[in-house]
C-alpha cells in the first residue's frame, strides 16, 4: 500500500493555517453591483416605455377623432382624399364596428359568474391560455393592420382593401374578446373571498422567473423581453384601473347615478377611506408583485448572461430613435401611411383592442348617458387631449435630446452590423434602418467580465468547456 502524500498532522496544519484566497472573488463585486443596479435601470426603461404606451393609447381617443373629422370633411367636400386620410377613416370605422360587434357578446355578469364557477386549476389554465392568446393576437394583428394601411392597398380602393378590412375586423374582435376575458378573470381573482385566486395570480407572475431566467439570452432577445414586459405592465395597469373603478361603483352602491344637486356621481366619494383600502390593496399587491418579478427576472438574466445594466440605456436609445423618426423633427421620412406612433410597433403594443375594451367597460359601468354625463365626457376628452399634447411634446423633446447627445453617440459607435440573411417581409429601407439599430443594441462594453478558468469564456466553433471548469450555475445553453 503506497504511503499517503502527507500525514494527518500536515493535513490539519494546512487546513488551519491556509491564507490563500480565490483570485476570482475580487471579480465578483462587479456582478453584485450590476445585480443591485438592474432594478433601477429596468424601472427607468419601464417608466419611459409606460409613457410611450400611454401616448399611443391616448392617440386613439384624442388625435385620431380629429383626423377622422378632417378626412370626413374632405370626403363630403368631394375633394381628393390622401392615403393617410383613408387610413384614418378605415381605422375609426374599424374601431366603431368592433365596438358594435363586441357589445352584445360581452355580458360582464354572465362571463364573471361562468369564470367564477370554475375550479382553481381551471382558472390557472384560463390565465395562461388568455395570456398566450393575447400575445399571438398582437403578433398577427400588427401584420394585418400593416397590410390594410399600406400605400398599395389604400391608393386604389380594390377588393384587396375590402379583404384586408374584413381580416382586420376579425382580428380586432377576437383580440378585444380575449382582453375582455382577461379583465373579467382578473376581476374574479381580485374579488375572491379567501384571496386564493389572488394568490394564484401572484404566484403565476413568479412562474415567469423560472420560465425565463435559466436560459441563454442574447441582447436582442433581452430587448424583445423588455418590450414585452413594458406592454404587459401597461396593459395590467389599465385593466387593474378598470377593475378598481367597477369595484368602487359596486361597493358604494351608486351604480354611477347622480344626485340632484351634485356634479359628480356618488361613486366618486373619496372620503370613504375603508372602501378605498378595500379596493386598493389587491390592486397594489398585483402591481408590486409585477415590479418585483420584473426586477428579479432581469437581474438574474443579466447575471447569468454577463450583461451590464448599461444595455438598458441602449434599449432606450432605440426607442428614442423610433420616436423621433416618426415625428416632424425626425430626419427620416415616415414609411407608414397611418400616423400612429411608430414606437408602438417596436414595443408590439396593440392600442386599438385596448381602446375597444375601455369603451366597453365605460359603457357598461355608466349605463344611460344624459346631459351631465355628456358634458363630463367632453371635459374628460379635453383633459385627455391636453395630456396627450403635453406628453407627446415632452417625449419627443426628451428623445431628440437623447438621440443628439454625445452619450448616445458613444454608446452606438460599434461598427459591427451583420443581421445575416434579409428578414422576410421587410423592404430595403426597413432593413437598412434595422441594421443601423443593430450597432445600438450590441456593444462589447455592456459585457461583464468572464472568468475563463471557470468555464465562462465565449465558446466559438466546436470548442466546449471542460467538465472540471464548470460550476452549478455556469451558463452554457441552459441552467438546470
Amino acid at each position: 500500500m503506497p504511503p499517503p502524500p502527507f500525514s494527518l498532522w500536515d493535513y490539519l496544519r494546512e487546513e488551519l493555517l491556509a491564507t490563500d484566497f480565490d483570485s476570482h472573488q475580487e471579480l465578483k463585486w462587479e456582478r453584485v453591483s450590476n445585480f443591485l443596479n438592474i432594478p433601477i435601470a429596468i424601472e427607468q426603461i419601464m417608466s419611459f416605455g409606460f409613457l410611450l404606451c400611454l401616448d399611443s393609447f391616448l392617440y386613439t381617443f384624442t388625435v385620431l377623432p380629429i383626423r377622422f373629422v378632417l378626412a370626413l370633411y374632405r370626403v363630403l367636400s368631394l375633394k381628393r382624399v390622401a392615403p393617410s386620410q383613408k387610413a384614418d377613416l378605415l381605422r375609426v370605422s374599424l374601431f366603431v364596428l368592433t365596438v358594435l360587434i363586441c357589445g352584445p357578446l360581452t355580458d360582464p355578469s354572465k362571463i364573471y359568474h361562468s369564470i367564477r364557477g370554475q375550479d382553481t386549476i381551471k382558472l390557472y389554465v384560463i390565465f395562461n391560455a388568455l395570456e398566450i392568446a393575447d400575445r399571438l393576437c398582437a403578433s398577427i394583428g400588427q401584420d394585418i393592420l400593416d397590410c390594410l394601411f399600406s400605400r398599395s392597398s389604400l391608393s386604389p380602393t380594390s377588393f384587396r382593401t375590402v379583404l384586408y378590412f374584413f381580416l382586420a375586423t376579425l382580428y380586432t374582435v377576437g383580440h378585444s374578446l380575449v382582453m375582455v376575458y382577461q379583465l373579467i378573470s382578473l376581476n374574479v381573482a381580485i374579488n375572491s373571498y379567501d384571496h386564493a385566486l389572488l394568490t394564484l395570480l401572484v404566484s403565476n407572475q413568479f412562474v415567469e422567473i423560472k420560465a425565463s431566467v435559466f436560459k441563454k439570452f442574447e441582447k436582442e432577445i433581452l430587448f424583445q423581453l423588455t418590450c414585452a414586459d413594458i406592454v404587459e405592465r401597461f396593459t395590467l395597469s389599465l385593466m387593474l384601473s378598470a377593475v378598481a373603478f367597477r369595484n368602487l361603483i359596486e361597493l358604494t352602491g351608486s351604480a354611477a347615478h347622480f344626485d340632484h344637486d351634485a356634479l359628480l356621481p356618488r361613486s366618486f366619494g373619496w372620503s370613504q377611506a375603508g372602501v378605498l383600502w378595500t379596493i386598493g390593496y389587491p390592486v397594489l399587491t398585483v402591481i408590486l408583485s409585477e415590479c418585483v418579478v420584473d426586477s428579479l427576472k432581469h437581474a438574474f438574466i443579466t447575471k447569468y448572461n454577463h450583461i451590464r445594466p448599461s444595455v438598458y440605456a441602449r434599449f432606450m436609445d432605440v426607442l428614442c430613435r423610433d420616436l423621433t423618426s416618426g415625428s416632424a423633427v425626425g430626419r427620416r421620412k415616415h414609411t407608414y401611411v397611418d400616423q400612429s406612433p411608430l414606437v408602438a410597433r417596436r414595443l408590439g403594443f396593440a392600442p386599438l383592442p385596448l381602446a375597444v375594451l375601455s369603451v366597453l367597460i365605460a359603457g357598461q359601468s355608466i349605463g344611460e348617458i344624459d346631459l351631465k354625463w355628456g358634458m363630463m365626457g367632453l371635459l374628460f376628452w379635453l383633459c385627455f387631449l391636453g395630456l396627450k399634447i403635453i406628453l407627446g411634446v415632452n417625449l419627443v423633446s426628451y428623445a431628440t435630446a437623447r438621440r443628439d447627445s454625445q452619450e448616445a453617440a458613444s454608446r452606438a459607435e460599434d461598427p459591427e452590423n451583420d443581421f445575416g440573411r434579409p428578414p422576410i417581409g421587410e423592404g430595403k429601407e426597413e432593413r437598412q434602418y434595422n441594421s443601423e439599430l443593430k450597432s445600438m443594441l450590441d456593444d462589447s462594453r455592456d459585457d461583464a467580465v468572464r472568468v475563463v478558468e471557470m468555464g465562462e469564456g465565449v465558446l466559438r466553433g466546436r470548442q466546449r468547456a471542460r467538465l472540471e471548469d464548470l460550476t452549478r450555475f455556469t451558463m452554457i445553453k441552459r441552467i438546470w
Side-chain angles (χ1 to χ4, degrees):
M1 182 177 180
F6 44 84
S7 63
L8 294 177
W9 171 250
D10 293 334
Y11 176 78
L12 180 60
R13 183 179 58 184
E14 184 71 19
E15 290 292 324
L16 295 177
L17 302 180
T19 57
D20 294 335
F21 292 94
D22 186 5
S23 60
H24 305 313
Q25 291 180 353
E26 298 179 358
L27 301 176
K28 298 299 181 69
W29 169 243
E30 183 184 3
R31 298 184 179 182
V32 176
S33 177
N34 293 341
F35 187 87
L36 297 177
N37 289 328
I38 283 296
I40 300 177
I42 191 63
E43 287 304 321
Q44 287 178 349
I45 190 173
M46 283 288 180
S47 301
F48 182 70
F50 188 93
L51 294 178
L52 291 177
C53 292
L54 178 61
D55 179 73
S56 180
F57 178 73
L58 292 177
Y59 174 91
T60 307
F61 291 102
T62 57
V63 178
L64 185 60
I66 300 177
R67 293 180 59 88
F68 173 78
V69 172
L70 295 177
L72 186 62
Y73 174 77
R74 292 189 66 88
V75 172
L76 297 178
S77 301
L78 302 178
K79 297 181 179 180
R80 181 180 177 274
V81 181
S84 60
Q85 293 177 327
K86 292 181 181 179
D88 297 330
L89 294 173
L90 288 176
R91 184 176 289 271
V92 174
S93 301
L94 182 63
F95 174 75
V96 174
L97 182 60
T98 304
V99 172
L100 294 178
I101 294 176
C102 292
L105 300 177
T106 54
D107 187 349
S109 179
K110 292 182 179 179
I111 299 176
Y112 180 89
H113 290 289
S114 64
I115 295 177
R116 189 182 182 88
Q118 303 297 326
D119 297 332
T120 302
I121 187 62
K122 290 184 179 180
L123 286 174
Y124 181 80
V125 175
I126 290 175
F127 285 145
N128 289 275
L130 290 175
E131 182 179 359
I132 294 174
D134 177 46
R135 296 186 179 184
L136 294 178
C137 289
S139 176
I140 190 62
Q142 188 62 67
D143 295 335
I144 295 176
L145 294 179
D146 286 343
C147 292
L148 175 62
F149 300 132
S150 63
R151 296 183 185 275
S152 59
S153 62
L154 289 179
S155 295
T157 304
S158 59
F159 173 75
R160 184 170 58 178
T161 305
V162 178
L163 176 61
Y164 289 156
F165 185 81
F166 176 74
L167 293 177
T169 304
L170 292 181
Y171 153 69
T172 51
V173 170
H175 200 177
S176 301
L177 291 177
V178 169
M179 287 189 170
V180 168
Y181 276 87
Q182 276 187 310
L183 175 64
I184 298 179
S185 300
L186 189 63
N187 194 10
V188 171
I190 289 179
N191 293 329
S192 58
Y193 291 105
D194 55 356
H195 297 292
L197 300 180
L198 182 61
T199 305
L200 175 64
L201 179 63
V202 174
S203 64
N204 193 27
Q205 292 179 340
F206 280 90
V207 173
E208 295 182 16
I209 298 179
K210 179 182 178 182
S212 58
V213 163
F214 306 110
K215 293 180 181 179
K216 181 69 175 178
F217 272 82
E218 299 295 339
K219 297 171 188 175
E220 293 82 3
I221 303 177
L222 182 61
F223 179 56
Q224 293 177 334
L225 179 65
T226 304
C227 293
D229 290 337
I230 290 173
V231 175
E232 181 182 4
R233 181 173 296 188
F234 178 81
T235 304
L236 183 62
S237 300
L238 184 64
M239 290 185 177
L240 288 174
S241 300
V243 170
F245 177 72
R246 289 187 62 87
N247 289 341
L248 180 65
I249 293 176
E250 294 296 333
L251 289 179
T252 53
S254 63
H257 290 304
F258 286 99
D259 289 330
H260 293 289
D261 299 329
L263 179 63
L264 295 177
R266 291 193 300 269
S267 60
F268 284 75
W270 299 104
S271 60
Q272 304 181 23
V275 173
L276 291 180
W277 172 249
T278 303
I279 295 173
Y281 85 89
V283 173
L284 293 177
T285 301
V286 177
I287 289 293
L288 291 178
S289 65
E290 180 70 17
C291 296
V292 171
V293 166
D294 289 339
S295 298
L296 290 177
K297 180 173 62 177
H298 285 267
F300 280 105
I301 287 176
T302 53
K303 174 187 180 299
Y304 291 143
N305 294 275
H306 309 283
I307 301 175
R308 288 192 174 101
S310 59
V311 72
Y312 293 101
R314 195 173 320 282
F315 296 164
M316 288 188 64
D317 292 339
V318 174
L319 297 179
C320 290
R321 182 164 180 155
D322 287 337
L323 186 61
T324 55
S325 298
S327 64
V329 299
R331 299 186 178 92
R332 173 174 169 265
K333 183 180 178 181
H334 204 300
T335 58
Y336 295 96
V337 174
D338 66 297
Q339 302 297 310
S340 59
L342 181 63
V343 71
R345 307 174 187 276
R346 180 73 61 184
L347 295 174
F349 179 61
L352 194 59
L354 271 178
V356 173
L357 174 66
S358 302
V359 171
L360 291 176
I361 296 302
Q364 294 166 359
S365 302
I366 295 175
E368 297 182 359
I369 300 178
D370 52 11
L371 181 59
K372 286 189 176 181
W373 273 116
M375 295 297 296
M376 283 188 60
L378 180 60
L379 292 177
F380 275 117
W381 183 82
L382 293 176
C383 293
F384 288 148
L385 179 60
L387 177 62
K388 169 66 177 69
I389 295 174
I390 296 174
L391 181 61
V393 169
N394 284 275
L395 284 176
V396 173
S397 300
Y398 173 79
T400 305
R402 188 179 181 90
R403 185 195 62 181
D404 297 337
S405 65
Q406 295 296 328
E407 183 180 1
S410 64
R411 285 195 297 264
E413 63 182 7
D414 188 5
E416 293 296 329
N417 186 15
D418 186 11
F419 264 97
R421 61 192 179 105
I424 299 176
E426 293 185 0
K428 181 179 179 181
E429 294 182 359
E430 191 171 2
R431 290 201 302 268
Q432 182 180 0
Y433 180 64
N434 286 332
S435 64
E436 294 175 358
L437 298 181
K438 172 67 175 180
S439 60
M440 302 177 65
L441 288 174
D442 194 5
D443 194 321
S444 59
R445 288 174 297 178
D446 295 326
D447 298 332
V449 178
R450 298 172 183 260
V451 183
V452 181
E453 293 83 353
M454 297 174 59
E456 296 177 352
V458 180
L459 303 181
R460 298 185 181 276
R462 296 185 177 181
Q463 180 183 357
R464 301 182 62 180
R466 296 180 300 175
L467 293 178
E468 55 268 24
D469 293 335
L470 300 180
T471 62
R472 171 65 178 82
F473 295 106
T474 298
M475 171 61 71
I476 301 298
K477 289 187 177 180
R478 183 170 179 175
I479 296 178
W480 296 94

